[in-house]
């Protein structure tokens, strides 16, 4: 079955770093884009960033630009979200999801989603 599982969350202090992993299985890793999302307490789920499977390009939300980086290890069918200079407002449950190819921009990040994984909690203390 199609599976996506985010992991690596935890409690960190402001200014610290954390790397999240999105382990995938049950589908061809090269045929889908992967999006990262987060849901902060009391807020709607928002897009964080996306990596295109066709050319490896990425796009990020303005709030994380320059601090977060998406990368992948194709042999492991795994996508990573490196989070640097974390801020308290980054506190959220983080999710990865499978996206239809061709919609890998922040503006369109929700439009191609067809699978959601279970999230991992990131808490940033001040």
């Amino acid at each position: 079955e199609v599976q996506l599982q985010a992991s690596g969350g935890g409690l960190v202090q402001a200014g610290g770093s954390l790397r999240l992993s999105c382990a995938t299985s049950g589908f061809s890793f090269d045929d889908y884009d992967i999006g990262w999302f987060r849901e902060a307490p009391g807020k709607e789920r928002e897009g964080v960033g996306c990596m295109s499977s066709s050319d490896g390009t990425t796009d990020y939300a303005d709030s994380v630009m320059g601090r977060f980086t998406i990368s992948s290890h194709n042999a492991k069918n795994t996508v990573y979200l490196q989070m640097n200079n974390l801020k308290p407002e980054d506190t959220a449950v983080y999710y990865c999801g499978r996206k239809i190819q061709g919609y890998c921009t922040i503006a369109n990040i929700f439009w191609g989603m067809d699978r959601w994984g279970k999230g991992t909690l990131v808490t940033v203390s001040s």
Side-chain angles (χ1 to χ4, degrees):
E1 64 184 67
V2 173
Q3 291 185 309
L4 300 98
Q5 179 63 59
S7 62
L11 175 64
V12 298
Q13 293 186 224
S17 298
L18 203 62
R19 189 182 74 166
L20 306 183
S21 298
C22 177
T24 74
S25 62
F27 64 95
S28 177
F29 192 73
D30 294 335
D31 291 341
Y32 293 88
D33 300 334
I34 299 294
W36 281 97
F37 306 81
R38 66 185 182 186
E39 188 170 334
K43 295 184 178 181
E44 298 292 325
R45 185 173 297 187
E46 64 177 341
V48 173
C50 183
M51 171 172 276
S52 171
S53 64
S54 61
D55 58 12
T57 58
T58 55
D59 194 32
Y60 303 92
D62 289 343
S63 59
V64 307
M65 187 75 70
R67 299 188 298 119
F68 290 11
T69 303
I70 300 172
S71 62
S72 66
H73 193 309
N74 292 352
K76 295 182 178 180
N77 296 332
T78 300
V79 177
Y80 304 97
L81 180 66
Q82 180 66 45
M83 309 165 66
N84 297 326
N85 191 24
L86 284 161
K87 304 175 180 179
E89 52 262 43
D90 294 320
T91 294
V93 176
Y94 284 73
Y95 303 85
C96 59
R98 190 180 77 172
K99 293 170 55 62
I100 297 173
Q101 288 181 317
Y103 299 86
C104 202
T105 64
I106 286 295
N108 299 321
I109 195 163
F110 286 100
W111 292 9
M113 296 298 304
D114 71 348
R115 293 288 192 280
W116 295 92
K118 293 185 177 180
T120 185
L121 176 63
V122 173
T123 303
V124 184
S125 62
S126 59

